[in-house]
Amino acid sequence: MKKQKLILIGNGMAGVRTLEELLKLEPELYDITVFGAEPHPNYNRIMLSPVLAGEKQVDEIVLNSREWYAENGITLHTGDPVTAIDRQARQITTASGMQASYDRLLLATGSNPFMIPIPGHDLPGVVGFRDIQDVETMLDSARQYKKAVVIGGGLLGLEAANGLKKNGMDVTVVHLMDILMERQLDKPAAGLLKASLEESGLKFLMEAQTEAILGDQRVTGLRFKDGSELDTDLVVMAVGIRPNMALADAAGLHCERGIVVNDTLQTFDPRIYAVGECVQHRNNTYGLVAPLFEQAKVCANHLAQLGYGRYQGSVTSTKLKVTGIDLFSAGEFNETEGDETLVLQDPAQGVYKKLVIRDNRIKGAVMYGDTMDGSWYFQLLREATDISSFRNTILFGQHDLGDAGHGEETRVGMLSDEAEICGCNGVCKGDIVNAITTQGLFTLDEVRAHTKASASCGSCTGMVEALLASTVGEGYAATPSKKAVCGCTSYSHDEVRKAISELELKSMPELFDRLDWGTPDGCPGCRPALNFYLLAAWPAEYQDDAQSRFINERAHGNIQKDGSYSVVPRMFGGLCSADDLRAIADVADKFEVPEIKVTGGQRIDLFGVKKDQLPAVWKDLSEAGFVSGHAYGKALRTVKTCVGKNWCRFGTQDSTGLGVKLEELTWGSWMPHKFKLAVSGCPRNCAEATIKDLGVVCVDSGYELHIGGNGGIKVRVTDLLCKVESEAEVLEYTGAFIQCYREEAHYLERTAPWVERVSLNYVKQRVVEDEVGRKALYDRFKLSQKFAQVDPWKARAEGAETHEFTPLSIDRMRAAS
């Protein structure tokens, strides 16, 4: 089939990101030609500040080299701006006179720096701060002159001022408003920033309106409206940007404040698309990177003729690093009538946090100095989470963002490059930062794809996001408000789960078909999630797909670093008999198990079992009465118990007996993530029930139920759900809580972040206050257990899935072929 012609006008970040997304979807659909006004290949405009400051070279901020264009069959023309579009002939003309025809045209012309039209604004020595040419002009001036003025106290202005100061210039920032960065900061935070920058040597003239730029052959000074003057050799205008829509306007495309586009990023001419800073969508224009990349994804989807995906606008946050100072803001951070504010201010530590609250939901946030929890606050804002259950501690940071080994002194930004961030995949901080800077990564998904960090259990996600934010600053693409399951679809986890239920989708092919999945068979990212969602929704009808599970779940054992497996037989409530121990010892002797260890969950772990030995090991264990411990799965793991009142002087209830009943109820259940239970016989809490997904603490008058805890790197203590009086109630509430979690959490989301995302109050409403709803949840859980409590070890010991445990041989391969 003859390829269509696609022309991209504008070689910046938004346009080229659209091409990258398009190449992932339909690499053979178009002959692509790119025209760029600048003489450079695609580079990271956000990193111009480090180039000006001498911290990076130009070639270090290039995102796509000329070789990348060639490797992908893209024709690149640089330094030759397009000057005209003939829509009837579908043809463009460049400044050099080159003409090219198109079937589809993509405009990504970006924006222009706004130059205040005052006398002298066109003198030599007056520049904007928008591209590499501007940076080179400033660096050249710094080598010849001493004094510089930056007009504009926003982010760009301050970064320009800092860069010029580092190049030895005497810099004064002139700002029209009474505070710096008024669009990102409130007055107290802006005051802290100004004081810090003054200490570093910058000077400020606030509430100063420039009337004229003075000079004949070159700028020599400024005159202000009050008549005062200031000598200078260089003026940098950093007072904002304007969408660059002149080319589109001249071509007759509808433009207002930008090029007007619809939800598929099409202009009023359906053959012409537009993305980036030049665009006006639903009356909004955007200058941050995250919205532009969201636009790029939708636009690429439509160019690939896939037809799904709509851009519905972006909720943005701003996480910045201004001259080494961390800042964060999101939402409406200046309170209005009826709002409440929570403020934490520590001048000695240079920390300021303010949350604007209405009806126990965050409306806005501004942070100075310590922005570690910015992403969390932003998530709470986006999700409109009810914070009433933790508003008294919210300013002190995210509960589950880890204090074990990560206290104030060792914040992630201060860790050494050798510090391990992702324990699951052994990824260090240096690996992540290097991947971000050398591969031009902007999103969590990209970091996961390149480094595997946070791609397994996800418990280090917060730290990886913090590294992203601190490394790329404003360019960090925070998790969008509607995060797709994976690159195969634009549907979010919640939307997929809703579709499975409402459309009664009961198989993977049916789901792919009805939801227009972008790939025919899904990908390793979505298949495990979809398999779980279908299993949770239709326990009686859906046939579990083993090939959509991770290796540990397919092999029903934990793979070890030497390729062998560990085997953990289930011991309900941690109880065992002498016969049980003899049977395990016999297995260990028979199969020459090299190491045996008691786990933290009170089970016995046999290490070093070869994969082809597993069915035989399971056969012997099964005949001795054991079932799988599911220590390898996103499933119920263990119920840890203390000895309780039968033996302990302080025990108030039969905690061991209750633990056995809970494990008999819940074993075999598949979950969004691993799930641990514990029962402590008294508030001394020897079973550590308050760091489990669900913990029971026995008291004289009954049982306290705690939820949402976890240990590991990110320690989170549980929240008290409720108190009940009988063991029967413990079982009912536990089953209902688990089923609510199974039905609503995202795959790979543990209970700790899930409870914080949906709020403790919401869980209480579902499980405690709504008796009818609780009983319905419990009934659905018990129904699902009828199909889940089938021991996978016994089945495989009897011959199921034999191919999974049989080593490949040449004869077998020949037979298979």
Side-chain angles (χ1 to χ4, degrees), residues 33 80 207 224 264 286 289 296 363 431 464 471 488 505 515 567 571 611 651 663 666 687 748 757 782 813:
T33 304
D80 191 11
E207 299 182 79
F224 300 103
T264 52
Y286 295 96
V289 168
K363 279 182 61 183
D431 300 330
V464 175
T471 305
C488 301
L505 308 178
L515 299 186
V567 173
M571 293 177 171
K611 190 174 184 181
E663 193 156 352
T666 57
L748 297 184
R757 180 167 65 83
K782 288 190 291 186
M813 293 171 68

Side-chain angles (χ1 to χ4, degrees), residues 239-307:
V239 290
I241 56 175
R242 297 289 184 272
N244 182 5
M245 58 186 183
L247 181 66
D249 199 25
L253 295 173
H254 180 55
C255 299
E256 293 176 0
R257 290 186 297 123
I259 305 169
V260 177
V261 295
N262 61 17
D263 288 357
T264 52
L265 284 310
Q266 288 170 293
T267 67
F268 275 43
D269 182 338
R271 288 184 177 274
I272 302 179
Y273 295 75
V275 295
E277 293 175 340
C278 61
V279 157
Q280 177 183 330
H281 174 264
R282 298 190 184 187
N283 292 321
N284 289 316
T285 59
Y286 295 96
L288 299 176
V289 168
L292 311 190
F293 285 179
E294 290 181 46
Q295 292 174 7
K297 197 161 191 171
V298 173
C299 184
N301 177 287
H302 210 261
L303 281 168
Q305 302 176 0
L306 296 178

Side-chain angles (χ1 to χ4, degrees), residues 494-506 511 533-534 537-538 743:
D494 292 332
E495 289 170 335
V496 168
R497 300 201 76 162
K498 186 178 179 184
I500 288 172
S501 174
E502 292 185 351
L503 302 178
E504 297 192 2
L505 308 178
K506 298 181 181 178
L511 185 153
Y533 294 156
L534 287 163
W538 309 107
E743 291 181 354

Side-chain angles (χ1 to χ4, degrees), residues 610-620 793 796-798 805:
K610 295 182 175 60
K611 190 174 184 181
D612 58 355
Q613 291 179 314
L614 287 171
V617 170
W618 295 337
K619 179 175 182 297
D620 286 5
W793 285 2
R796 279 143 192 84
E798 293 173 349
F805 308 98

Side-chain angles (χ1 to χ4, degrees), residues 171-190:
V171 185
T172 301
V173 177
V174 175
H175 195 44
L176 186 61
M177 309 301 289
D178 62 340
I179 65 171
L180 298 173
M181 296 183 65
E182 68 278 359
R183 295 180 65 183
Q184 288 87 23
L185 301 178
D186 66 352
K187 202 161 187 174

Side-chain angles (χ1 to χ4, degrees), residues 418-688:
E418 293 74 30
E420 187 176 81
I421 300 297
C422 177
C424 299
N425 296 295
V427 186
C428 298
K429 176 190 168 186
D431 300 330
I432 298 170
V433 172
N434 184 54
I436 293 169
T437 54
T438 60
Q439 304 295 322
L441 310 183
F442 290 94
T443 68
L444 179 63
D445 286 341
E446 288 173 342
V447 174
R448 285 173 171 167
H450 280 80
T451 69
K452 304 297 182 192
S454 93
S456 295
C457 80
S459 62
C460 61
T461 298
M463 286 189 284
V464 175
E465 287 183 322
L467 280 175
L468 255 174
S470 64
T471 305
V472 301
E474 185 266 322
Y476 164 50
T479 308
S481 53
K482 179 191 154 185
K483 183 179 180 183
V485 172
C486 68
C488 301
T489 181
S490 61
Y491 288 109
S492 68
H493 288 261
D494 292 332
E495 289 170 335
V496 168
R497 300 201 76 162
K498 186 178 179 184
I500 288 172
S501 174
E502 292 185 351
L503 302 178
E504 297 192 2
L505 308 178
K506 298 181 181 178
S507 73
M508 205 86 79
E510 194 178 6
L511 185 153
F512 292 149
D513 179 54
R514 292 294 299 274
L515 299 186
D516 291 327
W517 220 250
T519 50
D521 298 311
C523 70
C526 64
R527 288 191 70 96
L530 300 180
N531 187 54
F532 170 74
Y533 294 156
L534 287 163
L535 195 63
W538 309 107
E541 295 92 340
Y542 178 67
Q543 183 64 44
D544 185 27
D545 179 15
Q547 295 309 310
S548 295
R549 292 187 174 277
F550 296 119
I551 176 62
N552 283 353
E553 292 185 353
R554 292 203 307 274
H556 295 277
N558 269 327
I559 191 167
Q560 304 299 309
K561 61 190 297 183
D562 64 352
S564 67
Y565 285 79
S566 73
V567 173
V568 183
R570 187 169 296 280
M571 293 177 171
F572 290 86
L575 280 179
C576 62
S577 66
D579 286 341
D580 291 337
L581 295 177
R582 284 192 196 94
I584 292 173
D586 289 343
V587 168
D589 284 341
K590 180 178 178 180
F591 295 94
E592 298 179 341
V593 173
E595 187 164 311
I596 305 172
K597 186 180 183 305
V598 176
T599 72
Q602 300 175 334
R603 306 296 185 266
I604 292 177
D605 203 341
L606 308 176
F607 285 95
V609 180
K610 295 182 175 60
K611 190 174 184 181
D612 58 355
Q613 291 179 314
L614 287 171
V617 170
W618 295 337
K619 179 175 182 297
D620 286 5
L621 289 171
S622 181
E623 289 174 354
F626 290 103
V627 297
S628 168
H630 288 85
Y632 46 80
K634 314 300 180 198
L636 186 280
R637 294 286 182 87
T638 58
V639 181
K640 187 175 181 178
T641 64
C642 67
V643 295
K645 71 176 184 180
N646 292 342
W647 298 96
C648 178
R649 289 181 295 124
F650 303 108
T652 62
Q653 309 284 353
D654 178 13
S655 53
T656 308
L658 178 57
V660 171
K661 292 174 184 173
L662 279 170
E663 193 156 352
E664 288 174 344
L665 171 71
T666 57
W667 79 272
S669 57
W670 295 108
M671 305 277 193
H673 210 300
K674 62 183 177 184
F675 193 99
K676 297 181 179 180
L677 283 157
V679 184
S680 288
C682 77
R684 288 169 180 77
N685 195 16
C686 293
E688 300 166 330

